[in-house]
Amino acid sequence: MKEHEPMEAERHPKAPVPKTRTPGPYPLPPRERRTGLVLIYTGNGKGKTTAALGLLLRAVGRGMQAAMYQFVKTTDVERGEHVGARRLGVEVVSMGAGFTWLSESIEEDRRLARECWARCAEALHSGKYDLVVFDELTYALAYGWLDHDEVFSVLEARPKGTHVVITGRKATEELVEFGDLVSEVQEVKHPYRTRGLGAQPGIEL
Ligand code: ATP
Ligand code: MG
């Protein structure tokens, strides 16, 4: 295959190209017959969480069960994606409440990260989801709050056919090595930097 050549859907290599766009042209095979991937979106540019939200949208369109677990510290205010996801029937769970992020005590950060990871592991192994996003999990690995082996063994033991999406800056070498699909978003220009422009509704929050 040539580099960057778009991939045809695996199940229907010879399916005729439909003249009109009918919804759901490819049936969804049972989960055990699907290939579960680990996708990683990292880098210093904007678009990592956005990409994961896009995958949630696509998965829901396929009739899949999807959820996002967020390690980020959030405020009480719901963002656009929380409300939008609820409309789609996608669970977005913010675990950041109380997450101190670089508090004085690394032990406290470790404890909270472990607590959050335990919730992620439970969701993944419940078998309820076809696609699960762990938003900003990268930091917990980069800062050593979670051990790579601990995380990898949970991911490896997940139900067959389940996709996992991990986002965040500072993806470690080990995580990149473990992932099946890794994309790096690189900042070229950001209005915060060029114009001091803050977060915009519908774009960032
Ligand atoms: P998004 O959620 O918009 O896809 P992201 O997940 O790629 O962003 P994060 O590292 O999670 O990026 O950063 C969260 C917020 O920081 C976003 O609202 C984003 O606009 C902002 N941001 C991202 N990159 C930059 C940058 N280079 N300079 C300033 N702000 C940035
Ligand atoms: Mg993000």
Side-chain angles (χ1 to χ4, degrees):
M1 190 190 283
K2 274 186 280 168
E3 209 183 348
H4 301 313
E5 191 178 318
M7 278 169 51
E8 286 296 322
E10 209 178 321
R11 299 177 297 280
H12 286 261
K14 292 184 181 160
V17 178
K19 289 208 175 62
T20 54
R21 281 152 51 90
T22 49
Y26 305 117
L28 184 67
R31 196 186 298 157
E32 317 76 67
R33 295 226 314 272
R34 287 180 249 147
T35 306
L37 297 173
V38 175
L39 299 91
I40 295 158
Y41 290 94
T42 191
N44 69 347
K46 169 178 163 58
K48 302 172 290 290
T49 302
T50 311
L53 290 167
L55 289 173
L56 289 173
L57 178 70
R58 183 173 284 161
V60 166
R62 281 277 162 232
M64 292 167 148
Q65 293 294 320
M68 179 185 266
Y69 282 73
Q70 299 186 304
F71 280 75
V72 283
K73 186 177 178 180
T74 50
T75 60
D76 293 339
V77 181
E78 279 199 309
R79 293 155 55 136
E81 60 264 41
H82 299 126
V83 181
R86 204 160 47 235
R87 281 195 205 151
L88 286 174
V90 170
E91 276 174 81
V92 176
V93 182
S94 286
M95 304 180 297
F99 214 117
T100 50
W101 287 110
L102 300 176
S103 71
E104 311 252 300
S105 150
I106 185 156
E107 279 317 311
E108 179 64 1
D109 286 331
R110 279 213 177 107
R111 190 187 64 73
L112 285 164
R114 289 229 172 87
E115 224 174 84
C116 290
W117 180 242
R119 290 180 69 184
C120 295
E122 196 186 322
L124 192 58
H125 288 268
S126 70
K128 191 172 157 193
Y129 302 111
D130 300 287
L131 185 147
V132 190
V133 179
F134 299 133
D135 191 35
E136 322 287 356
L137 168 65
T138 50
Y139 296 97
L141 290 165
Y143 294 135
W145 301 335
L146 294 174
D147 293 331
H148 285 88
D149 290 344
E150 190 178 330
V151 169
F152 295 162
S153 62
V154 165
L155 294 179
E156 268 164 357
R158 72 190 186 277
K160 194 174 169 348
T162 309
H163 299 302
V164 176
V165 183
I166 296 169
T167 72
R169 296 166 188 226
K170 300 178 190 288
T172 57
E173 270 177 42
E174 295 93 323
L175 182 63
V176 167
E177 175 68 24
F178 185 84
D180 297 301
L181 188 161
V182 183
S183 291
E184 185 172 11
V185 186
Q186 198 199 324
E187 180 186 320
V188 176
K189 205 175 182 184
H190 194 292
Y192 177 76
R193 217 178 277 278
T194 54
R195 294 159 58 191
L197 197 67
Q200 298 298 304
I203 303 297
E204 267 106 12
L205 74 176

mmCIF file of all heavy atoms in Angstrom, residues 44-50 136 139 169 187 190 192-193 203-204, ligand 1:
data_model
loop_
_atom_site.group_PDB
_atom_site.id
_atom_site.type_symbol
_atom_site.label_atom_id
_atom_site.label_comp_id
_atom_site.label_asym_id
_atom_site.label_seq_id
_atom_site.Cartn_x
_atom_site.Cartn_y
_atom_site.Cartn_z
ATOM 1 N N ASN A 44 2.118 18.879 21.060
ATOM 2 C CA ASN A 44 1.892 20.165 21.731
ATOM 3 C C ASN A 44 0.843 21.039 21.041
ATOM 4 O O ASN A 44 0.590 22.156 21.469
ATOM 5 C CB ASN A 44 3.220 20.931 21.855
ATOM 6 C CG ASN A 44 3.722 21.396 20.493
ATOM 7 O OD1 ASN A 44 3.218 20.954 19.457
ATOM 8 N ND2 ASN A 44 4.697 22.279 20.486
ATOM 9 N N GLY A 45 0.249 20.571 19.962
ATOM 10 C CA GLY A 45 -0.763 21.367 19.260
ATOM 11 C C GLY A 45 -2.165 21.068 19.747
ATOM 12 O O GLY A 45 -2.393 20.093 20.472
ATOM 13 N N LYS A 46 -3.101 21.901 19.347
ATOM 14 C CA LYS A 46 -4.501 21.708 19.739
ATOM 15 C C LYS A 46 -5.170 20.686 18.835
ATOM 16 O O LYS A 46 -5.034 20.768 17.617
ATOM 17 C CB LYS A 46 -5.249 23.032 19.637
ATOM 18 C CG LYS A 46 -6.759 22.889 19.764
ATOM 19 C CD LYS A 46 -7.448 24.203 19.709
ATOM 20 C CE LYS A 46 -8.935 24.032 19.409
ATOM 21 N NZ LYS A 46 -9.632 23.183 20.399
ATOM 22 N N GLY A 47 -5.919 19.786 19.391
ATOM 23 C CA GLY A 47 -6.663 18.837 18.567
ATOM 24 C C GLY A 47 -6.686 17.410 19.079
ATOM 25 O O GLY A 47 -7.335 16.549 18.484
ATOM 26 N N LYS A 48 -6.016 17.143 20.194
ATOM 27 C CA LYS A 48 -5.931 15.759 20.683
ATOM 28 C C LYS A 48 -7.270 15.293 21.264
ATOM 29 O O LYS A 48 -7.818 14.269 20.846
ATOM 30 C CB LYS A 48 -4.818 15.652 21.745
ATOM 31 C CG LYS A 48 -3.469 16.083 21.199
ATOM 32 C CD LYS A 48 -2.410 16.164 22.252
ATOM 33 C CE LYS A 48 -2.597 17.303 23.227
ATOM 34 N NZ LYS A 48 -2.368 18.634 22.617
ATOM 35 N N THR A 49 -7.790 16.067 22.200
ATOM 36 C CA THR A 49 -9.092 15.701 22.773
ATOM 37 C C THR A 49 -10.172 15.822 21.700
ATOM 38 O O THR A 49 -11.091 15.000 21.634
ATOM 39 C CB THR A 49 -9.408 16.587 23.999
ATOM 40 O OG1 THR A 49 -8.363 16.414 24.959
ATOM 41 C CG2 THR A 49 -10.719 16.211 24.630
ATOM 42 N N THR A 50 -10.037 16.833 20.844
ATOM 43 C CA THR A 50 -10.993 17.006 19.744
ATOM 44 C C THR A 50 -11.022 15.762 18.856
ATOM 45 O O THR A 50 -12.099 15.313 18.443
ATOM 46 C CB THR A 50 -10.601 18.233 18.892
ATOM 47 O OG1 THR A 50 -10.374 19.342 19.755
ATOM 48 C CG2 THR A 50 -11.674 18.582 17.894
ATOM 49 N N GLU A 136 -6.144 12.577 28.558
ATOM 50 C CA GLU A 136 -5.024 13.114 29.364
ATOM 51 C C GLU A 136 -4.396 12.073 30.301
ATOM 52 O O GLU A 136 -3.786 12.430 31.306
ATOM 53 C CB GLU A 136 -5.438 14.361 30.189
ATOM 54 C CG GLU A 136 -6.376 15.326 29.509
ATOM 55 C CD GLU A 136 -5.737 16.177 28.406
ATOM 56 O OE1 GLU A 136 -4.515 16.078 28.212
ATOM 57 O OE2 GLU A 136 -6.480 16.906 27.733
ATOM 58 N N TYR A 139 -0.202 12.117 31.104
ATOM 59 C CA TYR A 139 0.535 12.804 32.174
ATOM 60 C C TYR A 139 0.807 11.876 33.351
ATOM 61 O O TYR A 139 1.866 11.928 33.963
ATOM 62 C CB TYR A 139 -0.245 14.033 32.673
ATOM 63 C CG TYR A 139 -0.422 15.085 31.618
ATOM 64 C CD1 TYR A 139 -1.587 15.160 30.870
ATOM 65 C CD2 TYR A 139 0.588 16.005 31.371
ATOM 66 C CE1 TYR A 139 -1.758 16.127 29.892
ATOM 67 C CE2 TYR A 139 0.439 16.983 30.396
ATOM 68 C CZ TYR A 139 -0.742 17.030 29.661
ATOM 69 O OH TYR A 139 -0.893 17.987 28.705
ATOM 70 N N ARG A 169 -0.474 15.434 26.046
ATOM 71 C CA ARG A 169 0.914 15.741 25.715
ATOM 72 C C ARG A 169 1.834 14.749 26.419
ATOM 73 O O ARG A 169 1.394 14.023 27.299
ATOM 74 C CB ARG A 169 1.263 17.154 26.197
ATOM 75 C CG ARG A 169 0.452 18.213 25.496
ATOM 76 C CD ARG A 169 0.554 19.541 26.204
ATOM 77 N NE ARG A 169 -0.399 20.458 25.596
ATOM 78 C CZ ARG A 169 -0.134 21.708 25.251
ATOM 79 N NH1 ARG A 169 1.051 22.210 25.492
ATOM 80 N NH2 ARG A 169 -1.048 22.450 24.671
ATOM 81 N N GLU A 187 1.908 22.028 17.015
ATOM 82 C CA GLU A 187 1.451 23.413 16.912
ATOM 83 C C GLU A 187 2.206 24.139 15.806
ATOM 84 O O GLU A 187 3.419 24.088 15.729
ATOM 85 C CB GLU A 187 1.677 24.160 18.226
ATOM 86 C CG GLU A 187 1.205 25.588 18.096
ATOM 87 C CD GLU A 187 1.523 26.459 19.307
ATOM 88 O OE1 GLU A 187 1.397 25.981 20.429
ATOM 89 O OE2 GLU A 187 1.887 27.619 19.109
ATOM 90 N N HIS A 190 -1.165 29.291 17.135
ATOM 91 C CA HIS A 190 -2.302 29.239 18.053
ATOM 92 C C HIS A 190 -2.642 30.682 18.437
ATOM 93 O O HIS A 190 -1.745 31.441 18.799
ATOM 94 C CB HIS A 190 -1.940 28.408 19.297
ATOM 95 C CG HIS A 190 -3.131 28.019 20.128
ATOM 96 N ND1 HIS A 190 -3.866 28.953 20.834
ATOM 97 C CD2 HIS A 190 -3.724 26.825 20.341
ATOM 98 C CE1 HIS A 190 -4.845 28.328 21.464
ATOM 99 N NE2 HIS A 190 -4.787 27.036 21.177
ATOM 100 N N TYR A 192 -3.784 31.999 20.956
ATOM 101 C CA TYR A 192 -3.389 32.394 22.312
ATOM 102 C C TYR A 192 -1.981 33.006 22.259
ATOM 103 O O TYR A 192 -1.699 34.030 22.875
ATOM 104 C CB TYR A 192 -3.406 31.186 23.247
ATOM 105 C CG TYR A 192 -2.930 31.518 24.643
ATOM 106 C CD1 TYR A 192 -3.754 32.208 25.528
ATOM 107 C CD2 TYR A 192 -1.649 31.160 25.054
ATOM 108 C CE1 TYR A 192 -3.314 32.536 26.799
ATOM 109 C CE2 TYR A 192 -1.203 31.484 26.322
ATOM 110 C CZ TYR A 192 -2.043 32.169 27.193
ATOM 111 O OH TYR A 192 -1.606 32.492 28.449
ATOM 112 N N ARG A 193 -1.150 32.354 21.463
ATOM 113 C CA ARG A 193 0.225 32.799 21.362
ATOM 114 C C ARG A 193 0.359 34.068 20.509
ATOM 115 O O ARG A 193 1.043 35.011 20.873
ATOM 116 C CB ARG A 193 1.072 31.693 20.716
ATOM 117 C CG ARG A 193 2.457 31.583 21.295
ATOM 118 C CD ARG A 193 3.197 30.445 20.637
ATOM 119 N NE ARG A 193 2.879 29.162 21.242
ATOM 120 C CZ ARG A 193 3.457 28.699 22.357
ATOM 121 N NH1 ARG A 193 4.361 29.414 22.983
ATOM 122 N NH2 ARG A 193 3.136 27.520 22.833
ATOM 123 N N ILE A 203 -15.214 25.965 20.375
ATOM 124 C CA ILE A 203 -13.890 25.588 19.879
ATOM 125 C C ILE A 203 -13.081 24.925 20.996
ATOM 126 O O ILE A 203 -12.472 23.877 20.811
ATOM 127 C CB ILE A 203 -13.113 26.824 19.339
ATOM 128 C CG1 ILE A 203 -13.898 27.529 18.236
ATOM 129 C CG2 ILE A 203 -11.716 26.433 18.852
ATOM 130 C CD1 ILE A 203 -14.135 26.672 16.987
ATOM 131 N N GLU A 204 -13.125 25.540 22.151
ATOM 132 C CA GLU A 204 -12.368 25.008 23.287
ATOM 133 C C GLU A 204 -13.230 24.581 24.472
ATOM 134 O O GLU A 204 -12.774 23.820 25.308
ATOM 135 C CB GLU A 204 -11.361 26.052 23.792
ATOM 136 C CG GLU A 204 -9.989 25.928 23.189
ATOM 137 C CD GLU A 204 -9.713 27.004 22.180
ATOM 138 O OE1 GLU A 204 -10.507 27.969 22.128
ATOM 139 O OE2 GLU A 204 -8.722 26.892 21.445
HETATM 140 P P1 ATP B 1 -8.502 20.239 22.429
HETATM 141 O O1 ATP B 1 -9.233 19.771 23.656
HETATM 142 O O2 ATP B 1 -8.963 21.595 22.043
HETATM 143 O O3 ATP B 1 -8.504 19.246 21.325
HETATM 144 P P2 ATP B 1 -5.901 19.335 23.148
HETATM 145 O O4 ATP B 1 -6.520 18.175 23.823
HETATM 146 O O5 ATP B 1 -5.083 19.043 21.924
HETATM 147 O O6 ATP B 1 -6.976 20.444 22.846
HETATM 148 P P3 ATP B 1 -4.648 20.083 25.610
HETATM 149 O O7 ATP B 1 -3.209 19.878 25.804
HETATM 150 O O8 ATP B 1 -5.602 19.174 26.292
HETATM 151 O O9 ATP B 1 -4.919 20.139 24.069
HETATM 152 O O10 ATP B 1 -4.999 21.593 25.966
HETATM 153 C C1 ATP B 1 -6.269 22.012 26.329
HETATM 154 C C2 ATP B 1 -6.527 23.439 25.979
HETATM 155 O O11 ATP B 1 -5.352 24.198 25.805
HETATM 156 C C3 ATP B 1 -7.304 23.602 24.679
HETATM 157 O O12 ATP B 1 -8.414 24.364 24.952
HETATM 158 C C4 ATP B 1 -6.405 24.279 23.723
HETATM 159 O O13 ATP B 1 -6.955 25.261 22.868
HETATM 160 C C5 ATP B 1 -5.389 24.905 24.591
HETATM 161 N N1 ATP B 1 -4.135 24.799 23.865
HETATM 162 C C6 ATP B 1 -3.711 23.731 23.184
HETATM 163 N N2 ATP B 1 -2.529 23.989 22.590
HETATM 164 C C7 ATP B 1 -2.235 25.248 22.925
HETATM 165 C C8 ATP B 1 -1.157 26.116 22.629
HETATM 166 N N3 ATP B 1 -0.139 25.671 21.882
HETATM 167 N N4 ATP B 1 -1.161 27.356 23.143
HETATM 168 C C9 ATP B 1 -2.168 27.782 23.923
HETATM 169 N N5 ATP B 1 -3.230 27.023 24.239
HETATM 170 C C10 ATP B 1 -3.250 25.774 23.747
#
